[in-house]
Amino acid sequence: MNIIEATKLAFEKAFDYESRASRSEYWWYQLSYVIITIMAEVVGYALGLYEIIYYIAEVAFFVPAISLAVRRLHDIGMSGWWNLIALTIIGLIPLIIWYATPGHKGTNRFGTNPLEEENKQNFSSSGIPSSTFSTSPVTRYSDEVKKPMKASKNSDFKKTKTKTPKGFKVIKKVKD
């Protein structure tokens, strides 16, 4: 997920208080929130409107931010009402920790893991990423990945295997 997708998704789900949101969705949206509101304040001062444009942008971005914070807590299995501890300034510390905590794998009482849903959409039925079927050089690269690398007899490297999704085996050379 990137900053544009996260911002678009947050606005699409601005009134969704029941599902889950991934960490990347939350933090990319927060970054766009800060950038846009700072730009709105600068433009407002440049146009002589002072803080009017800033307040409009703040309200427009604050509404999706509330539902996104609720959905982020749902991802770790907590109620969205825990966001109210932000009213006590010290409550911001556990909230930041919770927002940075990885979500539950699989489903919880708030729905399925948003990262698992995203991965299902990115892979075709054969298990190969859909971008592989394009006319880009990715197809040629995927054929090269299937061939194991051979280490020379005089090298100081050891073969190690790494896990990759859906049947690809990659061997890295790691120095001892």
Side-chain angles (χ1 to χ4, degrees), residues 67-137:
S67 68
L68 186 59
V70 169
R71 289 185 286 119
R72 180 68 206 118
L73 287 179
H74 286 178
D75 194 37
I76 60 172
M78 299 182 69
S79 171
W81 289 104
W82 279 102
N83 282 305
L84 292 177
I85 67 170
L87 298 175
T88 66
I89 302 303
I90 196 73
L92 291 173
I93 296 169
L95 279 176
I96 291 171
I97 293 169
W98 292 335
Y99 294 151
T101 303
H104 290 158
K105 294 182 179 177
T107 60
N108 66 13
R109 64 186 173 136
F110 299 106
T112 60
N113 188 337
L115 295 178
E116 291 172 1
E117 291 174 3
E118 188 175 298
N119 287 338
K120 285 180 185 176
Q121 293 172 357
N122 290 339
F123 283 92
S124 65
S125 60
S126 64
I128 299 173
S130 57
S131 63
T132 304
F133 295 108
S134 66
T135 58
S136 68

Side-chain angles (χ1 to χ4, degrees), residues 5 23 25 32 39 48 71 78 137 142-143 173 175:
E5 291 172 354
R23 285 185 296 175
E25 180 183 348
S32 70
M39 287 177 24
R71 289 185 286 119
M78 299 182 69
S142 64
D143 292 335
K173 291 184 177 181
K175 190 170 185 169

Side-chain angles (χ1 to χ4, degrees), residues 1-3 6-7 23-32:
M1 178 163 298
N2 60 32
I3 193 167
T7 305
R23 285 185 296 175
S24 61
E25 180 183 348
Y26 178 80
W27 290 110
W28 280 121
Y29 179 77
Q30 293 302 322
L31 179 63
S32 70

Side-chain angles (χ1 to χ4, degrees), residues 147-153 155-162 169-176:
K147 298 175 187 175
M149 296 187 309
K150 295 181 181 179
S152 64
K153 293 178 182 178
S155 69
D156 292 337
F157 295 100
K158 180 176 111 178
K159 290 184 181 179
T160 59
K161 294 181 182 178
T162 59
K169 183 181 5 176
V170 178
I171 299 175
K172 288 185 179 178
K173 291 184 177 181
V174 180
K175 190 170 185 169
D176 289 334

